[in-house]
Amino acid sequence: MTIEIEERPTSNIAMETFPLEDETIEIEHQVDIELNKFQQKMVYIGGAVNTLLAVFFVLTSFYNNIQPLYIISWFLTVLVCNIINVSFTYRNRHIILSEIKSVELSYHFTVGMLALVWGCIGLFSLFGDSYYHLYVITYLQIALVGFCFGTVTDFTACIICAVCILLPYCLLRIYSEIHSLSHMGKDSNLNFTYIISLAVITAFLLVASYIGYRLIRKFFRLSFEKVSLSNKLSNANKFLEQRVKDRTIELEDSLKLVTYQSTHDLLTDLPNHRLLLEHIDSAMVIAQQNNHMFGVIYLTINEIEKINDAMCQEASEIVIKTIAQRFNKIFDKLLTENFQTYQLTVTLSRKDVFVILLEPVLNALAVEDMLKPIFNMLKSPFQIESQSLKLTSSVGVSLYPRDGTTTKTLLKNAATAMLYAKQQGGNSLNIYTAESNLNLVKQLELESGLHTALNANEFIVHYQPVVDLRTGRICSVEALVRWKNPTFGFVPPDQFIPLAESNGVIFALGEWVFRTACLQTKLWHDQGFTDLKVAINLSAKQLHRKNIIENISSIINELGLDPKFIEFELTESIAFQQNAISIIKQFKSMGLGLAIDDFGTGYSGLSSLKLFTIDKLKIDKSFVKDVATNNDSKTIVSNTISLAKKLHVKVVAEGVETIEQLKFMQDQQCDLIQGYYFSPPLDADMLTEVLNRKETFLRV
């Protein structure tokens, strides 16, 4: 009989931690499978050998004149039992392990019956002589050996077979001793020898069968343990190989990502400064080989800092990203139309500086023509937070090899040209010259001088009067800082204020201006000019500095000046940004005045005027300049004055320089006037003299 066990898929030991007890059960399971396969083969072989032995025994028995009927009956019985045993084994070849107990008893019974039939040949010794008796005993021994080894994988069946084979002969011997059968007792020593030999062989075979069973089982167990261990090692190797492969892929992907991130800007996906250097080096090699020029172009957006201050950093990032997208579209179009003419490489070197590599270049005029699409690109407004912004750019160009033969020199000269273009304002393009380099040197010297100018007492506060049109008298002054540099003389504010904001000097300078202006105003009050107010400008960086409220309160309290005589001037773009409103409201709660400077030039709408209380609107001088001749300026100024009166806000006209401008402001009932028509900015002593004269300034 054989039992075929259901084979379960083995777990991947390397991927899944399999408990040791479960693994042992799994191995025993596999051992049972192989033992039953082995038993099945032994049953088939044993059946064939058993039948052949029976045939030989029958033939030999005929030779010894045994009754044919007995022999044939016995043979047929053996044959039937063999067929039953083999058939039973074949029928149960697919039985699963859980059903083995239910068929084991039947199997033992079948095997026992077959062994019992073989044991019956001992009865034939009654019908033959002593030689035939020896022959029968020999066959019993052969049958015993055959059955014991045939059932070596089932020790219980082995015992049953041994007992069933020997039982008939033993019963016959007992019977012969009792009845003293003469022909079986002729030689008692010989008979005793037969019995002893059968007993020894039986004992030996049972021991051999038991040991063999254990050895075979151990052999299969060791085999499967070896296979299991081999599978573990194989799976572990595969797992480790896969892990190494996966890890290698991860590292390669990470390396690619790190390499990309190190050579590209994460916001725009444009190549960054590191990759730009490689492109320039490659371009120089090609230019030397082909004997042509190429251009390095620096481009910056003029309004990016203002947008960053007025809105937020995210708004400026949106602008930069949008510009990068527009660059890609424009340059793709240029490359399609001029693919045989030149090649463009766009990079983002800093947060607001685009560097473009243009190759080849025939001459400087060709560069200007090729870059015209950039200025056209900026003509389309940028939509940021529901606001439409128009931007301008400053572009600087250096040419290889004319303006430098190294990467460092080309980049420095292009940056110099860009700074020179930025000073010109608007959409400006400047190709590097030695003159622009000198201007940059001057700017660097100014920036360096700013750090020591305050301690060296090089700054002076001038005051420009503001005249009340109703009385014609000075009602307030605007504090304006001036720098008298030992080398360059008086430096215009539009040159050093941006430098002070960029290098951080603006904080100390602003505090000094505020303290100086407040102190001077207090002196004027002490001299009898008790209604005079002072207006002081605040930049975006000053406004957002930590502890600005505490610093202002401390200075006011220290000097003993009433806050109502102090007025802060904020540009439109600074005052109406979201993160400035709370600070301005604190100013108002302290009693400080508020004026919106350069009104009409910022990015806010008229609806922003209702965010907090405003004391004054200052019309930008760009509108006042041509108000007498330009209808658009007239309309803007008159509408601004009308709107301010409806909001109960006073209007200051800046930059009034001519009688025509003054008359227009009087006609529109403007409240206050400031400009060179009345007085330029004066130092404190000169303005004190003017105040002492108590003049009426209206000379219309």
Side-chain angles (χ1 to χ4, degrees), residues 56-112:
F56 283 117
F57 182 76
V58 169
L59 294 176
T60 308
S61 296
F62 281 142
Y63 178 77
N64 285 278
N65 297 320
I66 304 301
Q67 289 292 332
L69 180 61
Y70 299 149
I71 295 299
I72 292 173
S73 299
W74 174 84
F75 176 75
L76 291 176
T77 304
V78 170
L79 187 60
V80 169
C81 288
N82 267 317
I83 292 173
I84 292 173
N85 188 32
V86 172
S87 300
F88 183 82
T89 300
Y90 183 78
R91 183 173 65 85
N92 292 297
R93 68 188 186 281
H94 295 303
I95 191 171
I96 62 176
L97 187 61
S98 60
E99 298 175 350
I100 187 172
K101 297 298 182 182
S102 62
V103 299
E104 194 175 51
L105 184 60
S106 299
Y107 170 68
H108 290 165
F109 177 77
T110 305
V111 173

Side-chain angles (χ1 to χ4, degrees), residues 523-568:
L523 291 175
W524 282 325
H525 284 188
D526 294 341
Q527 294 172 9
F529 307 107
T530 55
D531 294 330
L532 191 66
K533 295 182 178 181
V534 63
I536 303 168
N537 291 282
L538 277 183
S539 68
K541 289 191 175 182
Q542 289 175 275
L543 185 65
H544 295 108
R545 192 183 189 189
K546 188 177 180 181
N547 300 327
I548 182 174
I549 300 296
E550 291 80 359
N551 292 339
I552 291 174
S553 298
S554 176
I555 294 174
I556 291 175
N557 294 332
E558 177 187 340
L559 299 178
L561 181 64
D562 193 328
K564 69 180 182 180
F565 295 108
I566 302 173
E567 189 174 78
F568 283 127

Side-chain angles (χ1 to χ4, degrees), residues 386-509:
S386 72
Q387 296 190 37
S388 181
L389 308 182
K390 285 192 174 182
L391 306 179
T392 60
S393 65
S394 298
V395 180
V397 181
S398 65
L399 299 176
Y400 173 88
R402 190 194 74 175
D403 301 324
T405 56
T406 65
T407 301
K408 182 178 180 179
T409 304
L410 289 171
L411 291 174
K412 181 179 75 69
N413 291 340
T416 300
M418 182 198 70
L419 292 174
Y420 192 77
K422 199 167 187 176
Q423 293 175 359
Q424 300 172 16
N427 285 318
S428 301
L429 183 146
N430 182 64
I431 297 177
Y432 175 80
T433 60
E435 180 184 355
S436 60
N437 188 44
L438 291 176
N439 290 332
L440 180 62
V441 171
K442 177 183 176 181
Q443 187 171 353
L444 292 175
E445 290 181 2
L446 289 176
E447 186 172 358
S448 176
L450 272 174
H451 292 283
T452 58
L454 193 59
N455 292 330
N457 297 318
E458 296 177 9
F459 290 110
I460 306 169
V461 177
H462 284 185
Y463 304 89
Q464 187 171 29
V466 177
V467 177
D468 189 335
L469 278 182
R470 294 175 302 171
T471 63
R473 294 186 179 278
I474 298 173
C475 61
S476 64
V477 294
E478 180 181 0
L480 301 168
V481 64
R482 296 293 183 261
W483 181 20
K484 188 177 181 180
N485 183 275
T487 303
F488 301 106
F490 277 102
V491 181
D494 59 355
Q495 290 187 17
F496 72 83
I497 292 296
L499 293 176
E501 289 185 341
S502 64
N503 62 19
V505 174
I506 191 66
F507 299 118
L509 177 59

Side-chain angles (χ1 to χ4, degrees), residues 274-337:
R274 177 180 294 182
L275 198 56
L276 169 67
L277 300 180
E278 297 180 7
H279 285 313
I280 294 177
D281 290 339
S282 299
M284 285 193 292
V285 173
I286 296 174
Q288 291 171 1
Q289 294 174 348
N290 299 327
N291 194 26
H292 65 237
M293 294 193 301
F294 68 85
V296 176
I297 302 162
Y298 257 55
L299 182 147
T300 187
I301 304 302
N302 297 325
E303 296 81 4
I304 200 68
E305 287 294 338
K306 187 181 292 185
I307 292 172
N308 195 45
D309 293 337
M311 297 180 180
C312 60
Q313 183 177 352
E314 183 178 355
S316 61
E317 289 178 352
I318 293 174
V319 170
I320 293 297
K321 188 173 183 179
T322 305
I323 292 174
Q325 293 171 349
R326 292 188 182 184
F327 269 138
N328 290 332
K329 291 180 181 179
I330 289 177
F331 289 163
D332 286 345
K333 182 179 179 181
L334 290 176
L335 291 174
T336 302
E337 296 175 352

